Amino acid sequence: MALVIGEIRPGFQADDTANATMILLPPQNGGAVGWGSVYLSFGCDFGDVTLRTAVWGNGSWRVGELKVTSAGGRVNLPIKDGDHKVSIGRIKSGPTDTGTTPVGYMIETTLKA
């Protein structure tokens, strides 16, 4: 079940941190709310993108890179128990990358029976 859809801001994070997008996560296994695991995925079109990902959970940041291609399907970012928020910024993928390729995200979850 999709909970939230949104888009990643254009521009490169290295040029201005205001170009980053902050995504707040619902807790894994929402207890009485009735949902299970939480998933965060990205997709793009009209070009390939590289995203800097920083996930805050259990008192520290996990920083990495995620490649999202227009010719591929959605790309998932692993969400773990205790994760609270994700900071996403664009990284220049190559000399022709202008930072304007549309990139969307979706937070989804499974429903408990």
Side-chain angles (χ1 to χ4, degrees):
M1 174 177 86
L3 297 175
V4 176
I5 55 173
E7 61 184 310
I8 303 303
R9 291 185 180 136
F12 299 110
Q13 184 177 354
D15 296 339
D16 186 347
T17 56
N19 293 335
T21 301
M22 181 62 68
I23 302 169
L24 304 179
L25 300 170
Q28 290 272 39
N29 301 305
V33 178
W35 67 70
S37 297
V38 174
Y39 303 93
L40 176 60
S41 60
F42 300 87
C44 67
D45 196 6
F46 306 108
D48 299 342
V49 298
T50 303
L51 301 175
R52 175 201 177 265
T53 63
V55 181
W56 173 259
N58 297 312
S60 65
W61 290 98
R62 293 190 318 275
V63 179
E65 289 186 8
L66 198 63
K67 305 284 186 192
V68 185
T69 63
S70 63
R74 290 183 299 182
V75 178
N76 291 317
L77 179 67
I79 303 300
K80 300 178 182 178
D81 286 347
D83 289 349
H84 292 264
K85 59 187 176 181
V86 181
S87 173
I88 303 293
R90 293 171 187 254
I91 298 173
K92 197 166 186 82
S93 292
T96 60
D97 186 355
T98 61
T100 58
T101 299
V103 181
Y105 69 86
M106 179 171 57
I107 299 173
E108 55 188 331
T109 185
T110 56
L111 293 176
K112 292 183 177 180

